[in-house]
Amino acid sequence: MPQSFVSSLLSAEDPAAVAIETPRGVAPFLLLCDHAGQAIPQQLGDLGLPPGEIDRHIGWDIGALNVSRHLSRQLDTTLIHQRYSRLVIDCNRTPGINSSIPTLSELTPIPGNVDIDARHAQAREHAIFRPYHQAITDHLDERQRNGLPTAIIAMHSFTPVFKGNERPWQVGLLFNRQPEFALLLAELLREEGDLQVGVNEPYAMTDATDYTLPVHAERRELPYVGIEIRQDLIADQQGQQAWAERFARLLPQAWHRWQI
């Protein structure tokens, strides 16, 4: 694909696809936020969505970025996040599968994603998906060269109700082939005494439904966890700060237990 076509997807007024905060963080963690942003490239308009739809969960993980930023500062750890809506291209899905550029999200049609050809799909992948994951790869490579141990923490949020079904968990921890670190963190969360903790709830992690942790953590055999916080608990600054403080306490404890 000609580079001119790929680069033309993002104009000079569009934000860069990836952002790195606290790039020299000293903590043994890497924070990732796949669904941090809700930007849409100007060239794509509003994807045919009614007003306000992009602000719902279908457009991004509400509250996840601010929790991640607080946590990054409190732990002094690097945060890598991407700025575009999951409806443009989902950075936690393998490119080319149906959910990578969805035509339907929950019960909402996405008209701007219907019948796009391979050339336009690849332009989104090259402009948004690849820079984000290359930044993760580059950072992990650098940490490896410097002999720095790393646990990968992927930050997400979930809706209190999904297709009419209430979700009772305040927080869920996700994993696939390497459960050890996630289960240690689940134990610590339960010890808090005020939480219903989902283990692979409200989602289960698989190669078919996830990309970031299977590729960047499991292939490198790094400890990891996917953290899902219920959105009504982190919809405001107070909740975001409180959950960041909780994980700033518990993640180092989980890391210590994992090393024993």
Side-chain angles (χ1 to χ4, degrees):
M1 177 181 296
Q3 184 61 35
S4 60
F5 179 78
V6 173
S7 61
S8 68
L9 177 65
L10 300 184
S11 70
E13 288 73 35
D14 286 316
V18 60
I20 303 177
E21 303 186 20
T22 320
R24 298 296 172 189
V26 300
F29 305 110
L30 172 60
L31 297 174
L32 304 177
C33 200
D34 300 331
H35 303 141
Q38 58 183 147
I40 301 174
Q42 290 188 16
Q43 186 181 135
L44 302 182
D46 58 9
L47 293 175
L49 293 168
E53 287 295 290
I54 197 67
D55 297 323
R56 296 175 50 231
H57 177 73
I58 64 169
W60 62 328
D61 274 357
I62 296 166
L65 177 58
N66 284 341
V67 173
S68 301
R69 282 176 162 158
H70 288 307
L71 188 55
S72 174
R73 289 190 289 267
Q74 291 177 41
L75 287 177
D76 190 16
T77 193
T78 300
L79 165 63
I80 301 177
H81 63 90
Q82 74 87 27
R83 294 187 170 106
Y84 285 87
S85 172
R86 54 155 56 99
L87 298 181
V88 178
I89 186 167
D90 193 323
C91 285
N92 192 33
R93 299 291 185 273
T94 301
I97 68 173
N98 289 338
S99 57
S100 169
I101 301 177
T103 57
L104 182 73
S105 184
E106 296 181 11
L107 301 174
T108 302
I110 317 300
N113 290 347
V114 175
D115 294 331
I116 65 169
D117 59 27
R119 184 166 170 257
H120 286 83
Q122 288 171 19
R124 299 189 194 188
E125 177 186 343
H126 281 255
I128 297 169
F129 181 95
R130 290 194 182 185
Y132 174 64
H133 287 286
Q134 189 62 54
I136 298 170
T137 295
D138 291 346
H139 185 78
L140 289 171
D141 286 348
E142 181 179 6
R143 291 187 67 87
Q144 185 176 11
R145 287 193 299 269
N146 293 332
L148 299 175
T150 307
I152 300 181
I153 315 299
M155 301 296 294
H156 295 267
S157 66
F158 67 96
T159 57
V161 178
F162 181 71
K163 295 183 178 179
N165 296 315
E166 291 191 10
R167 291 161 155 176
W169 316 279
Q170 290 92 353
V171 61
L173 303 181
L174 312 188
F175 56 86
N176 189 4
R177 298 174 185 84
Q178 297 163 216
E180 294 83 6
F181 188 81
L183 293 178
L184 286 171
L185 185 58
E187 181 180 337
L188 287 164
L189 283 163
R190 291 191 181 107
E191 289 174 4
E192 298 278 277
D194 60 346
L195 298 174
Q196 187 164 341
V197 181
V199 174
N200 271 341
E201 296 285 1
Y203 311 103
M205 181 183 297
T206 70
D207 291 338
T209 58
D210 292 80
Y211 181 92
T212 298
L213 290 174
V215 168
H216 294 294
E218 291 192 333
R219 289 183 186 178
R220 293 177 185 255
E221 298 185 344
L222 295 174
Y224 71 87
V225 61
I227 295 177
E228 294 269 0
I229 307 172
R230 206 174 67 205
Q231 287 175 0
D232 58 311
L233 304 177
I234 54 172
D236 58 29
Q237 185 174 352
Q238 182 178 358
Q240 293 158 5
Q241 182 69 38
W243 277 91
E245 289 174 357
R246 191 191 295 263
F247 280 114
R249 283 190 293 104
L250 299 184
L251 282 170
Q253 293 179 45
W255 176 255
H256 175 71
R257 291 189 185 185
W258 183 81
Q259 290 183 302
I260 295 174

